[in-house]
Amino acid sequence: MAMKTVTIGGKGSSLTSSSVYSIANGLSQVNIDSSILEKLSSSKSSLSKKTLTVSNPRFLTNTEARASLVVLLNKFIITQHGIRSALPILITDALNGGPFALESLDFGSVLGFLDTLCKVNGKRFDDVGVTDGEIIVLEESCYALDGICALLDCSSSSLSTVADAVASLSCEASSADVSALVNSLDSGDGFSVKDEVAVASDFKVLLTGSKLVGKNGSKAVSEIPEVHGSFRESVKQVHSTTRVKLNSSVRIGKDGSLSNVRGGKQLVKTVSSLAASLVHLGESSLCRAQLVARCQEVDIHSEVLEMSGTLKNGINLSSEVNYLSLFHEINRLVATVRKILAWEGALAVLSLDSMESKENAQEVQVVSSSVETKKGNTNADKKSQKKKKVVLGKGTAVIKQLLKDRLNSKGGDKIKNLAVLIEWVRDLCVFFEPKDQELDTFLMKVKEMVESNESRRLPKLPKGTRDFAKEQMAIRGKAFKIIEEVFKRHGAMALDTPAFELRETLMGKYGEDSKLVYDLADQGGELCSLRYDLTVPFARYVAMNGITSFKRYQIAKVYRRDNPSKGRYREFYQCDFDIAGQYETMGPDFEVVKVLTELLDELNIGDYEVKLNHRKLLDGMLEICGVPPEKFRTICSSIDKLDKQTFETIKKEMVEEKGLTAEVADKIGTLVKKRGPPLELLSELKKDSQFLENNGSSLALKDLEILFEALEKSKCIHRVVFDLSLARGLDYYTGVIFEAVFKGTTQVGSIAAGGRYDNLIGMFGTKQVPAVGASLGIERVFNIMELQLENDANQSIRATETEVLVSIFGEDLGQAAELASELWGAKIKTEYLVNKRVAKHMDRAKESRIPLMVIVGDQERRANQVRIKDMQANTEELVDRDSVIEEVRRRLNFISL
C-alpha cells in the first residue's frame, strides 16, 4: 500500500496532531506546497553573522525528534518573513529520507540543532547558513514542545477510549458492584461535572445486560467516573491548546519586532494537568488489574512494582525545570499507562475466558448427571445443578471478542503460563498505539456502541425538554400571534441571533446563575455556549453593529442547565421586547411595562401582578443597612429568593455563608418586607429621610415617581405592586426591575421579568447605550392556557385551521388533486380524502372540526357538480363544479372558525 503524503502550506491548509503523529511514526511522508516553496526560494534574506552557542541535550526519541521537525517545518512555512527554502528542504529530506537516527539532533540550542540537522543530511552548516528570521523562529516558536504535545494529543485521545473499554471488561471480570459507577449521572442542578456524567453514561451502555457485575465493591471501580472524566477533560484541553499552537506563526515586523509569540508556559500548564490525570488513570487501572489477577490467582507482583514505580516518578513531573525534558517524560508516562491498560485488558480477557470455560464444563457435567438420573428413574432437581450463565454486557461482549480476535490472530488461544500472558500484554501494548492500523477499527466500534445507547429499548427525551402535540402547537401558535401583534403595535422590529454565542460573551453577565450556562464541545477552535437569554445576544448585536437606537422584539429558544421541575425547563421560548437608546426620562421603562401588561391581558390567562422595584433603590437600601458594596450583588441574590423561602432561611444564608452580621440582616428584613400599591408606598418612602439622604435611593425614587404617574395615566397601574424584596439576581440590571407573577390556582412562579440595563451594551463596545427590556416566559404561560383548556369543558382547540375537506368517494386521486389544487390556489385552507367509505369522510371532518365538506361521488361526477356540506348547520347543497370557489368563500364568510 502506497504511503500517504501530508502537504505543508498551501491555501487553507492547517497542521493537525494526527498528521504530525503519522509523519513522526513513518506512516506518512511530508511535502511542501509548490507555490510556497517557490516563494521561499525567491527570498533575498541575508545570512546572519551572529555567534551562536552550543548546548547538547540529546534525549528525545526518534519519534519525538521527527514530530519536532514537522512542527518546525510548518512554523517556517507559515512565518515566511526572512525564511529561505534551504532549511525547509533540509527538514523535508530528513523526514522522507528513511529511518534516520534523528535522536542525534540537538534541540538544546539553535547552532547545535542546525549543525546536527546538516550532518544528518550529509551537509556542512557553514555551507547552509541561517538568516535572522530563521533564528527567531528557532528560538521563539517552541516547536519541539509543540511537536511532542501533538504526539501527546494523538496518543491520549485514543487512550481515553481504550481505558473505558478495558475498564468495562475488568468490571465484569472482577464481578464488581457498578451501581455507583453507572448512576453517576447528571443531577440537573448545574453542579455535575459533565465529563464524569458522560463516562457514567458510556459505562451504563457498555455494561447493559451483564449478569456478572454487582457483587464486589471496589474503589477502583467506583472512582472510574472521576478518574476517567478528569482524563477526558485534560485530553480535550491538550487538543484545544495544541490545535492553536501547531498553526501559530512567529510574526516578524519590518523592524524586526515580534508579535504573536507564544511561550511554553501555557503548554506546560496544560500538559502538567494531563500528566496528573495520566498518573491517576494508571493507578486506577493498576488496582483493577491486581483485583482481576487475584481472582485468577495470577502472580504479577514484580510487574506491578515496576509499573507502580514509574507512576510515582510521574507524580513529580511538574517540578521539572527543563520544559523539553518535562514533555519527554510525560510522553514516556503515556507509554507506561498504555502498558498498564494492556495488563488490565489481558487479565480481564483471561478471567472472562476462564469463566466461560468453567461454564461449558459445568454444562457437560449437568447433561451427564441428567442422563444418570433418568436411568435411575429419580426426580432430582436438575435446575439446582446448573450454574448461573455467564452473560456479558452488550458492549463488553463485543469488546472482549475484538481483543480476543486480535490476540488469537497473533498466536496463543489459551493462557498456560505467565510468559504467554506477558506476550498478550506486549501485543496489546502495540495494539493500543495509534500507529496500529487495527486500533482505528476498534475505537470506531466502541464509539458506535456508546453512541447507539442500547441501554434503553425506547428513546427518551432529555431532562427539562418537551415534545408538543398538535393541540399544544395550536395553542402556541395562537399565543405567538397575539404576542407578535402587541410587539408590532409598539413599533418593534424583529431580530434573530444565533442559538449559541462565544462563551466569553455570556460569562460574567448572570451572577450566580452563570453555572447554568450550557457549554458546547470545541468543534472549531472557539469555546461556545448556548444562549442563556436573549438580552445579552441583543446587547452584543447592538454593540457589534454600532447601533445607538433600536426597538426590537425576538421570539426564540434559550437554554439553561437548570434543575427541571414543574414549570422549569432546560429548553424554552422567551419573548423579548427591548428599547435601546437615549429617550425621555423613564419613557422606555414605562412602555416596556405597558407592553408587558398588554401581553398578559390579551393572552387572557387570568389574574396576575407585576412586582416592581429599582436596583438603585435596592443598593441604597443595602448601603443604609450597612452592607459592604462588594457584597451588594451576592446579597441581592439572596433577597431574590424571598418569594420561595422564608426570611429566616435567607437570613441564615446571609449571615453564615455571606458574612453579614445578624443585626444587618435584621435591618434588611425590616425593609424588604415593604410592598403595596405603587403611589402609596412611594409616598411613604419619600417621607423617610434615610432614603432621601442616600444618593442612589433618592435618584431611584424620582425615577419611580415619573414611572408610576405614567402608568396611572395609561390605566395599568392597578396591575403593578411596588415590592422592595424584588432583587432580580442578574448582574446587568442597573435601574427599574420587574417581575410578573400569576395569581391563579396554578403554581407556575414568575411568568415574565425584565428591567433596565444601561451598562451591558457598553461591555461589548466603545459606546454606552442605555436599554430596558422585558422577557415573557412563554412556556409557563402555555402551561396556564393548557390547564384552563382542560378545566373548561366549553373550550376546545383545533389542531388545524383547515376550512374545507375535499371528499372523493372512490379511488380517483386525480380528481382530488384537481379540486384541492383549485382551493389551495384560491388561498383556502384545504385537505382531501380519497376513500370509498362515506363514514371515513364524516369521521375525518368531525374529528378535525372542519366546517365545510366538498363531496364528489359518482352522481355528482356525472352531473359535473359537487355537494357542499355545512358541518355546523348539518345542511347540504348541490352546486355547479365551476362555481365551487365562489360558493365556498361565500359560506366561509358566515362561519365562525
Side-chain angles (χ1 to χ4, degrees):
M1 188 172 67
M3 187 178 290
K4 293 188 296 184
T5 299
V6 176
T7 299
I8 306 291
K11 189 175 181 181
S13 68
S14 61
L15 189 62
T16 64
S17 294
S18 59
S19 295
V20 173
Y21 187 93
S22 182
I23 299 169
N25 284 280
L27 304 176
S28 299
Q29 287 197 319
V30 66
N31 176 56
I32 303 174
D33 181 78
S34 57
S35 62
I36 297 295
L37 195 58
E38 183 180 347
K39 186 175 181 180
L40 295 179
S41 298
S42 62
S43 174
K44 304 296 184 183
S45 302
S46 58
L47 297 179
S48 173
K49 297 180 181 179
K50 292 181 180 179
T51 302
L52 304 173
T53 58
V54 179
S55 171
N56 189 34
R58 295 175 180 168
F59 50 76
L60 297 190
T61 65
N62 186 54
T63 303
E64 291 168 344
R66 289 175 63 85
S68 302
L69 286 182
V70 177
V71 176
L72 177 59
L73 175 60
N74 193 54
K75 296 291 184 185
F76 280 143
I77 297 301
I78 59 179
T79 299
Q80 294 188 15
H81 182 77
I83 309 298
R84 304 163 300 148
S85 61
L87 290 182
I89 291 174
L90 274 181
I91 294 171
T92 303
D93 289 345
L95 290 170
N96 293 341
F100 289 136
L102 296 182
E103 297 98 327
S104 62
L105 291 178
D106 177 4
F107 290 93
S109 70
V110 172
L111 181 58
F113 170 75
L114 292 172
D115 185 49
T116 51
L117 178 63
C118 289
K119 286 179 181 177
V120 165
N121 285 274
K123 296 182 181 294
R124 294 173 63 250
F125 169 63
D126 291 339
D127 296 332
V128 176
V130 64
T131 68
D132 287 339
E134 290 163 350
I135 291 173
I136 290 173
V137 172
L138 286 163
E139 289 181 337
E140 303 294 341
S141 65
C142 301
Y143 63 91
L145 299 184
D146 295 347
I148 301 176
C149 205
L151 298 179
L152 289 171
D153 179 19
C154 202
S155 297
S156 57
S157 294
S158 60
L159 210 60
S160 179
T161 303
V162 167
D164 291 346
V166 167
S168 65
L169 281 185
S170 58
C171 285
E172 291 191 309
S174 60
S175 300
D177 179 3
V178 297
S179 56
L181 162 59
V182 299
N183 291 328
S184 299
L185 300 177
D186 194 349
S187 61
D189 57 7
F191 292 101
S192 299
V193 180
K194 286 189 283 189
D195 288 305
E196 291 185 17
V197 172
V199 169
S201 178
D202 290 352
F203 272 77
K204 187 174 183 180
V205 173
L206 295 175
L207 294 168
T208 293
S210 173
K211 293 187 178 180
L212 298 179
V213 295
K215 299 175 185 176
N216 306 317
S218 169
K219 182 183 178 184
V221 171
S222 61
E223 70 180 7
I224 286 175
E226 180 182 355
V227 173
H228 288 222
S230 175
F231 185 64
R232 283 190 187 187
E233 183 181 5
S234 297
V235 168
K236 286 189 284 190
Q237 288 174 347
V238 169
H239 176 72
S240 179
T241 304
T242 305
R243 184 177 180 276
V244 174
K245 293 285 290 179
L246 290 180
N247 296 285
S248 297
S249 64
V250 179
R251 296 176 188 163
I252 308 170
K254 292 182 179 180
D255 59 352
S257 61
L258 303 179
S259 63
N260 199 38
V261 175
R262 298 172 180 267
K265 291 184 179 179
Q266 181 186 8
L267 269 181
V268 170
K269 181 180 178 182
T270 302
V271 298
S272 295
S273 174
L274 177 68
S277 61
L278 271 168
V279 170
H280 296 148
L281 184 72
E283 290 175 336
S284 182
S285 176
L286 197 56
C287 287
R288 289 190 297 274
Q290 289 177 279
L291 194 63
V292 178
R294 283 196 293 271
C295 293
Q296 292 301 308
E297 298 180 350
V298 177
D299 184 9
I300 61 168
H301 181 68
S302 59
E303 287 77 11
V304 168
L305 284 177
E306 178 190 344
M307 294 183 290
S308 181
T310 307
L311 287 177
K312 286 179 180 177
N313 291 335
I315 295 173
N316 299 317
L317 286 173
S318 59
S319 64
E320 290 280 355
V321 176
N322 187 302
Y323 288 172
L324 201 54
S325 175
L326 170 66
F327 280 45
H328 170 72
E329 292 302 321
I330 295 175
N331 202 25
R332 289 181 58 190
L333 181 60
V334 171
T336 300
V337 173
R338 186 183 297 120
K339 182 179 179 182
I340 293 171
L341 290 171
W343 272 101
E344 183 184 1
L347 285 163
V349 172
L350 165 64
S351 178
L352 294 171
D353 266 1
S354 176
M355 289 182 191
E356 290 175 350
S357 296
K358 289 178 181 178
E359 180 191 46
N360 293 336
Q362 182 71 19
E363 286 177 354
V364 171
Q365 183 181 352
V366 169
V367 171
S368 174
S369 177
S370 299
V371 172
E372 292 299 323
T373 54
K374 285 181 180 178
K375 287 180 180 178
N377 198 25
T378 63
N379 294 319
D381 185 7
K382 290 181 282 186
K383 288 185 179 179
S384 65
Q385 298 178 47
K386 290 186 179 180
K387 257 192 129 180
K388 186 178 180 181
K389 189 171 179 63
V390 176
V391 179
L392 277 68
K394 290 183 179 179
T396 48
V398 176
I399 292 170
K400 174 183 174 290
Q401 191 57 51
L402 290 170
L403 294 183
K404 278 285 291 181
D405 290 346
R406 165 72 182 209
L407 295 170
N408 289 344
S409 68
K410 300 293 181 181
D413 188 12
K414 295 183 179 179
I415 296 291
K416 296 181 179 178
N417 53 52
L418 185 59
V420 180
L421 179 62
I422 292 173
E423 190 61 34
W424 273 25
V425 171
R426 286 198 191 107
D427 187 48
L428 288 183
C429 277
V430 174
F431 178 48
F432 291 161
E433 280 199 77
K435 63 184 178 183
D436 191 295
Q437 294 181 354
E438 294 179 11
L439 180 63
D440 275 344
T441 303
F442 177 77
L443 297 177
M444 187 60 67
K445 288 188 176 179
V446 173
K447 183 180 179 182
E448 286 173 358
M449 284 187 294
V450 169
E451 291 180 349
S452 68
N453 200 354
E454 293 183 3
S455 63
R456 295 187 293 262
R457 289 186 180 179
L458 294 174
K460 176 180 175 292
L461 274 174
K463 288 187 295 185
T465 62
R466 291 195 295 170
D467 288 327
F468 296 96
K470 53 187 180 181
E471 291 82 5
Q472 292 170 308
M473 287 303 297
I475 295 172
R476 293 165 79 85
K478 178 182 176 183
F480 282 140
K481 189 174 181 179
I482 292 171
I483 293 164
E484 197 165 15
E485 180 59 36
V486 171
F487 287 159
K488 288 181 177 179
R489 186 189 307 155
H490 285 261
M493 294 171 283
L495 174 69
D496 193 20
T497 56
F500 56 89
E501 298 273 351
L502 290 178
R503 190 173 188 273
E504 63 194 46
T505 299
L506 303 181
M507 287 299 99
K509 314 299 188 304
Y510 305 112
E512 294 183 4
D513 280 350
S514 289
K515 67 179 181 291
L516 303 182
V517 173
Y518 264 113
D519 291 335
L520 300 177
D522 176 19
Q523 296 291 339
E526 293 180 333
L527 294 177
C528 297
S529 301
L530 292 174
R531 61 187 174 205
Y532 176 91
D533 64 5
L534 301 178
T535 306
V536 171
F538 168 64
R540 187 265 309 152
Y541 174 83
V542 171
M544 193 175 78
N545 291 279
I547 297 170
T548 57
S549 179
F550 191 15
K551 185 185 288 187
R552 86 84 162 88
Y553 76 88
Q554 184 173 1
I555 301 174
K557 286 182 177 180
V558 297
Y559 304 87
R560 298 186 183 177
R561 201 167 179 268
D562 207 344
N563 188 20
S565 58
K566 187 175 178 61
R568 296 183 75 87
Y569 303 99
R570 290 180 164 186
E571 178 194 63
F572 55 94
Y573 271 98
Q574 280 190 341
C575 306
D576 275 25
F577 176 88
D578 292 81
I579 303 175
Q582 296 285 353
Y583 295 88
E584 65 282 343
T585 302
M586 302 309 290
D589 307 72
F590 152 70
E591 187 168 9
V592 168
V593 176
K594 176 63 176 173
V595 164
L596 184 57
T597 60
E598 286 181 16
L599 286 176
L600 297 176
D601 286 343
E602 294 186 30
L603 288 169
N604 196 29
I605 60 171
D607 197 15
Y608 67 90
E609 67 178 20
V610 179
K611 298 191 293 184
L612 189 146
N613 200 1
H614 198 295
R615 204 61 180 262
K616 288 179 181 173
L617 178 63
L618 191 61
D619 288 350
M621 181 181 73
L622 295 179
E623 187 177 344
I624 290 166
C625 292
V627 177
E630 66 272 13
K631 292 188 177 181
F632 280 5
R633 288 298 164 258
T634 186
I635 298 304
C636 280
S637 179
S638 296
I639 294 172
D640 199 35
K641 301 173 187 174
L642 278 170
D643 59 336
K644 305 178 188 72
Q645 300 177 13
T646 64
F647 179 74
E648 288 307 313
T649 303
I650 301 302
K651 177 183 175 181
K652 185 177 181 181
E653 179 182 297
M654 291 191 292
V655 173
E656 296 182 5
E657 297 180 25
K658 301 186 176 180
L660 292 188
T661 64
E663 182 183 1
V664 170
D666 287 334
K667 287 181 181 178
I668 293 171
T670 302
L671 293 175
V672 296
K673 292 174 184 176
K674 293 181 180 291
R675 74 187 307 270
L679 291 172
E680 292 179 18
L681 183 54
L682 177 67
S683 177
E684 178 187 332
L685 295 179
K686 287 173 67 177
K687 295 175 183 177
D688 192 328
S689 60
Q690 58 183 351
F691 281 103
L692 297 177
E693 291 169 2
N694 181 277
N695 290 334
S697 58
S698 177
L699 287 171
L701 292 176
K702 291 177 182 177
D703 285 347
L704 291 174
E705 185 173 12
I706 297 170
L707 174 63
F708 291 157
E709 287 178 0
L711 292 173
E712 184 180 34
K713 296 287 186 182
S714 70
K715 297 181 172 52
C716 67
I717 199 169
H718 64 287
R719 293 294 194 186
V720 179
V721 174
F722 191 3
D723 189 338
L724 294 190
S725 71
L726 182 66
R728 299 295 296 152
L730 302 184
D731 279 0
Y732 53 66
Y733 286 129
T734 59
V736 168
I737 49 177
F738 45 85
E739 184 174 277
V741 180
F742 181 60
K743 296 176 71 176
T745 55
T746 306
Q747 297 298 312
V748 295
S750 169
I751 54 176
R756 174 163 286 279
Y757 49 97
D758 286 346
N759 301 326
L760 181 59
I761 296 172
M763 294 174 71
F764 300 111
T766 56
K767 295 180 181 178
Q768 287 288 3
V769 182
V772 61
S775 179
L776 179 68
I778 194 65
E779 303 295 343
R780 295 179 178 182
V781 171
F782 289 149
N783 283 348
I784 297 168
M785 296 173 75
E786 288 167 11
L787 285 170
Q788 287 176 337
L789 198 61
E790 288 176 13
N791 296 332
D792 190 345
N794 296 321
Q795 282 195 64
S796 59
I797 192 79
R798 288 185 65 200
T800 73
E801 296 182 7
T802 305
E803 298 167 314
V804 176
L805 175 66
V806 173
S807 293
I808 307 298
F809 294 167
E811 298 178 347
D812 192 347
L813 175 62
Q815 191 166 27
E818 180 184 26
L819 187 50
S821 294
E822 289 180 23
L823 291 161
W824 289 329
K827 307 297 186 259
I828 296 172
K829 297 167 184 172
T830 304
E831 296 181 50
Y832 68 84
L833 179 62
V834 180
N835 197 285
K836 293 179 180 180
R837 296 177 59 190
V838 175
K840 284 277 187 183
H841 295 269
M842 296 301 167
D843 290 344
R844 173 74 167 274
K846 289 176 182 177
E847 287 171 7
S848 299
R849 296 174 55 212
I850 300 172
L852 293 181
M853 294 178 68
V854 174
I855 302 169
V856 181
D858 290 339
Q859 182 179 341
E860 289 82 12
R861 191 179 298 110
R862 287 192 295 269
N864 195 28
Q865 292 181 315
V866 299
R867 188 181 303 276
I868 298 180
K869 181 177 180 63
D870 186 327
M871 296 298 294
Q872 293 179 4
N874 196 24
T875 60
E876 297 181 8
E877 183 180 349
L878 281 169
V879 301
D880 290 340
R881 170 70 178 77
D882 295 337
S883 61
V884 170
I885 303 298
E886 180 183 344
E887 289 296 328
V888 165
R889 278 181 172 158
R890 185 177 65 80
R891 284 167 171 76
L892 287 174
N893 288 333
F894 296 101
I895 293 175
S896 175
L897 297 176

